[in-house]
Every structure is written in structure tokens, then in C-alpha cells.
Amino acid sequence: MSRVAVVGAGAMGLAAAYHLAKAGHDVDVYEAGATAGGMAAHFDFDGLSIERYYHFICKSDAPTFALLEELGLGDRLRWRVTRMGYFYGGKLYRWGDPLSLLFFPHLSLISKIRYGLLAFLSTKRSDWSKLDRLHADDWLKAWCGEEGWRVLWDKLFSLKFYEFSHDISAAWIWTRIKRVGTSRRNIFTEELGCIDGGSEVLVDRLCERIRDMGGRIHLSSPVEEVRIEGGAVAAVIVGGEDHPVDAVISTVPLPLVPKMIPALPEPDKVRYAAVKNIGVVCVVHKLRRSVSGNFWLNVNDDRIDVPGIIEFSRLRDVGSDTIVYVPYYMPITNPSFGRSDEAFIAESFGYLKLINPDLTDADRKSSAVGRLRYSQPICPPGFLDTVPPVVSAIRGLQIADTSIYYPEDRGIAESARLAKEMAARVS
């Protein structure tokens, strides 16, 4: 059996380490941060353990179900009927089903029909190869018309991707429409899932099983270098010390790979460095009352500079409080990314009061802010041809991050699927 180093203790890294340890390999997981879990990690939010970045499960997430069952956590999966809303031009509307579309007053009948066809046919489509080379905005305009694009999509793209909003593959947006569209009980009822107790339950169980099988998890231990000898991995350097290995699985963001593995062929380093990402500043508020009664609220209002809010307590049982995530996606080069936590908290709570004028300052119990520099890969048209292969040119080295999921979205399901595949390749 092999000595394997897994770089990164997010969901993908932990799942890979679990499968490796189960196969009898000698496994070490190295994580730069102080906690395991990556984007699925929890924090103590004024006495409540909750994800720093929101997560939900869809009915198509088969790898998540399989992993939960294997870990004895299948009974922790909860399904909830959820609602979607749309805050448009200062008014709250129902959204997400045929009747809400029919009665939405800001679209013509033809635009409604075109949008409805797009949503329905996207759930039936399986071949996305042609969408890979199309611009998402052009594809959506072709389906929904200029009116549909302006009312439903333009703000969502511009407030997530900013200057990159035209450079997004249609396959990327299609898979998001399909994933949520197929997570329904019927055409009128959306149903999403979560883990009772949050993602922490899965992260803790993975860590427990890894350690029980002899694996080791090293927190606050960034890998400084993966050393290559004779075209194969030889060691990882952590804290200035060499740790000999036979194989390495890297799950850190691809742009970090060239510095970590300087012996990679130059064309490969260029390829990894070329993958662009959007950052996120994610504000979480604990409130005494609900904001809109919806789990997901899309927003198109000139006074609000986020494309939506997530009322997470509509999905996961967190007691009597309301938990609301307000994510600010943007390139990290945007000057706003460097604003203080206090500025984001004040501004985002102001947005919530615009959506629900009954909210007062006394309703806000607590707030917290999380920041990620590598939150969402930017997937331009033709991205499929640029995604580096998981199996690298170096023997024993596999490299993946969330961009490898393309066109699927970031999430535990794709992490679990890819982790199992990578572990199976280690001999």
C-alpha cells in the first residue's frame, strides 16, 4: 500500500482520505487552516454551530446520499418544502412555479412562455456539449428575449461576475437551472435537503473514520512544496520538513498549484494559473424574525447590490431564530472586497430592512462575516477544453478543485464523486 498525502481538508480532501484509508493506504491530510471542512466548515455563531457558507442538497446529488449511507449518516438527511421569492423594484413576489410566473406583472406573456420553456426543457436536457461554447447571456437572451434577460437575469450576472459577466459558459448556467429544477416534489413544490446538524456532522464523521483507520489530519499545516524526483512525487514539505510519499492528491484552488509544485512542466503551471475565480464576502445574520418567508430570494432592485439572500432557517432547523446569508460575490480585485466586516454587516442589514420594512435594529441579534478568495471558478465559453486533467503528468500526482466539476456547481456531491475516483486510482 502507498503513503499518500492529501492536500486540503475540505469535503473533497476528507472524502478522498477516507476512501484511501479504507483501501489500506497510509494517509496524511494537510490543511492550512485551523479547522477541517473547507467551505463546509462550521463556526460558533453566538452559540449556534452553523456553516460559514450556506449549503443545500438537491435530489440529483446521488454521491452525497451514497457517502452519507456509507458513513452511517443516512438517517440525518432531511428534506424540506422550500419556497422561492423575487424582490423586484421594491416589491416582494412569489417565484419558482408556473402560477407565480403567470401572475408576475413585469413580464409580457410571450416572455413568460419563453422563460417557462427554458426552465422546463433545461430539466430534460442531458447533452450540454454545445452549450459549452456559447455565452450564457447570449443563450438566455435567445430563449427569454431582451425583456426576460433584463428583468430576470442581467442583475444576477452583473452582481456576481462584474466585468466577467459576458464571459460565462451557457453550460454553467444550464446545469444550475437543471439541478434546482429537478429538485421538486411536483411542478408547484420545491423540495431541498440538508443534514440534520449541518455539514459539520459529515465533516466530523469523515475525520473520525480517517483517524480510526490510522490516517492523520494535520491542521494549521500548509504544504510548502510537493517535491518531485525523476518525474514522480517524492515528498511533501511541511514546516520545513520532508515527508516522503508515494502519491499526492491536491484539492487546493488550482491557481495555488504552480507555487506549491514548482517542478511541474511550465505549460501545466500556466494552465493552472489561468483559471480565474470570483471571491465572496458572506455575511450571516441572526434575527428575531423572518425577512421574507422564502428560503431563496432573488433580488433585482436598484438600491440593493447583491443578487439574492438565503434565509437558511427555512431549510435547516436552527431553533427559534432566523438565519440569513447575504453573499457578496465579486472579483477580489474589486475595491469593495477589502471593505471592513462592519461595513458589510451594516449595508447588508440595511438591504434586509428594505425587503422587510418591519425589521428594526432590535431584530438583529448577531452578525458574522466570512471571506473566500477562491469561491466560484469563472467558466468562460470553451472552458471544457481548458480544464486541466485530474491525473497530472507527474507520476502519483492528482490535482483537482471545484473547477474540475464543470459544468456542475460547487458542492458536496461532486466533491464526494471526484474524491472516490481519485482514491481508486492510487495503487
Side-chain angles (χ1 to χ4, degrees):
M1 291 290 117
S2 299
R3 297 167 298 177
V4 188
V6 176
V7 187
M12 180 163 49
L14 291 175
Y18 162 73
H19 289 297
L20 288 163
K22 188 175 66 170
H25 298 291
D26 186 17
V27 183
D28 286 277
V29 182
Y30 296 97
E31 166 60 40
T35 58
M39 290 186 72
H42 277 219
F43 74 107
D44 183 355
F45 188 29
D46 193 27
L48 172 68
S49 179
I50 197 165
E51 294 93 336
R52 192 168 290 281
Y53 307 98
Y54 58 92
H55 284 74
F56 59 91
I57 297 170
C58 291
K59 292 189 174 182
S60 60
D61 295 350
T64 301
F65 311 149
L67 183 59
L68 289 172
E69 287 292 339
E70 184 170 338
L71 294 169
L73 296 174
D75 62 345
R76 301 294 292 268
L77 180 59
R78 301 285 184 268
W79 293 101
R80 299 277 188 264
V81 171
T82 53
R83 291 190 344 213
M84 183 181 294
Y86 194 18
F87 188 75
Y88 182 84
K91 187 173 180 180
L92 183 63
Y93 297 93
R94 286 178 50 201
W95 197 246
D97 63 69
L99 286 179
S100 63
L101 176 62
L102 179 64
F103 290 107
F104 184 64
H106 299 285
L107 287 174
S108 64
L109 179 60
I110 186 62
S111 292
K112 294 175 182 179
I113 293 171
R114 292 171 73 168
Y115 173 76
L117 281 172
L118 166 68
F120 174 75
L121 294 176
S122 290
T123 65
K124 305 302 179 185
R125 185 170 193 152
S126 58
D127 181 6
W128 53 271
S129 55
K130 291 182 180 178
L131 298 181
D132 171 60
R133 298 192 174 277
L134 300 179
H135 292 266
D137 54 354
D138 292 338
W139 180 66
L140 290 169
K141 288 174 187 177
W143 272 100
C144 302
E146 288 291 338
E147 179 188 57
W149 165 256
R150 175 179 53 80
V151 172
L152 301 176
W153 296 104
D154 189 9
K155 189 117 180 181
L156 301 183
F157 274 69
S158 63
L159 284 179
K160 182 161 188 173
F161 295 107
Y162 288 76
E163 64 264 33
F164 301 106
S165 60
H166 177 60
D167 297 320
I168 304 300
S169 161
W172 181 87
I173 191 64
W174 160 77
T175 195
R176 281 141 191 79
I177 297 171
K178 179 173 181 175
R179 181 172 179 246
V180 175
T182 54
S183 195
R184 307 188 71 83
R185 181 180 294 176
N186 53 55
I187 63 171
F188 295 103
T189 308
E190 178 183 83
E191 201 167 37
L192 298 175
C194 66
I195 300 172
D196 186 20
S199 302
E200 179 180 58
V201 172
L202 175 59
V203 170
D204 287 351
R205 182 62 59 87
L206 283 168
C207 291
E208 174 189 306
R209 290 292 176 86
I210 291 165
R211 292 179 175 125
D212 286 348
M213 292 184 288
R216 295 162 295 275
I217 300 171
H218 310 273
L219 302 177
S220 302
S221 301
V223 171
E224 295 147 18
E225 183 179 337
V226 176
R227 188 161 54 80
I228 309 299
E229 291 180 1
V233 295
V236 293
I237 301 175
V238 181
E241 296 183 1
D242 272 29
H243 300 270
V245 293
D246 303 303
V248 170
I249 290 177
S250 171
T251 65
V252 302
L254 294 188
L256 302 179
V257 168
K259 182 179 179 181
M260 186 176 70
I261 316 176
L264 279 172
E266 199 60 34
D268 291 348
K269 289 197 281 187
V270 170
R271 200 171 184 183
Y272 291 124
V275 177
K276 295 184 176 68
N277 276 259
I278 291 293
V280 68
V281 179
C282 192
V283 185
V284 195
H285 293 289
K286 181 187 288 188
L287 309 177
R288 288 186 169 85
R289 67 169 74 195
S290 173
V291 178
S292 74
N294 299 286
F295 168 66
W296 196 283
L297 183 68
N298 288 327
V299 174
N300 187 341
D301 186 288
D302 290 340
R303 300 166 297 172
I304 299 176
D305 285 335
V306 293
I309 68 166
I310 299 90
E311 199 164 318
F312 194 67
S313 44
R314 292 286 165 176
L315 176 64
R316 182 186 149 198
D317 183 7
V318 296
S320 59
D321 293 321
T322 292
I323 301 296
V324 183
Y325 289 85
V326 185
Y328 289 77
Y329 291 97
M330 68 186 80
I332 63 171
T333 53
N334 190 307
S336 291
F337 191 82
R339 288 194 299 161
S340 69
D341 290 356
E342 292 74 18
F344 279 109
I345 288 170
E347 181 179 88
S348 60
F349 187 63
Y351 293 161
L352 300 185
K353 289 194 287 185
L354 286 174
I355 294 168
N356 183 350
D358 290 335
L359 278 175
T360 68
D361 290 346
D363 290 316
R364 185 173 71 88
K365 298 178 68 174
S366 188
S367 302
V369 177
R371 295 176 193 251
L372 281 176
R373 297 175 64 85
Y374 302 95
S375 168
Q376 170 69 65
I378 298 171
C379 306
F383 190 67
L384 184 62
D385 292 338
T386 70
V387 177
V390 174
V391 180
S392 76
I394 305 298
R395 290 195 307 277
L397 176 62
Q398 296 182 73
I399 300 171
D401 77 349
T402 57
S403 62
I404 303 296
Y405 304 166
Y406 175 80
E408 296 294 337
D409 200 2
R410 309 151 296 160
I412 290 174
E414 288 303 298
S415 294
R417 177 188 65 79
L418 192 55
K420 189 172 184 178
E421 292 174 0
M422 290 191 292
R425 294 191 188 105
V426 177
S427 58

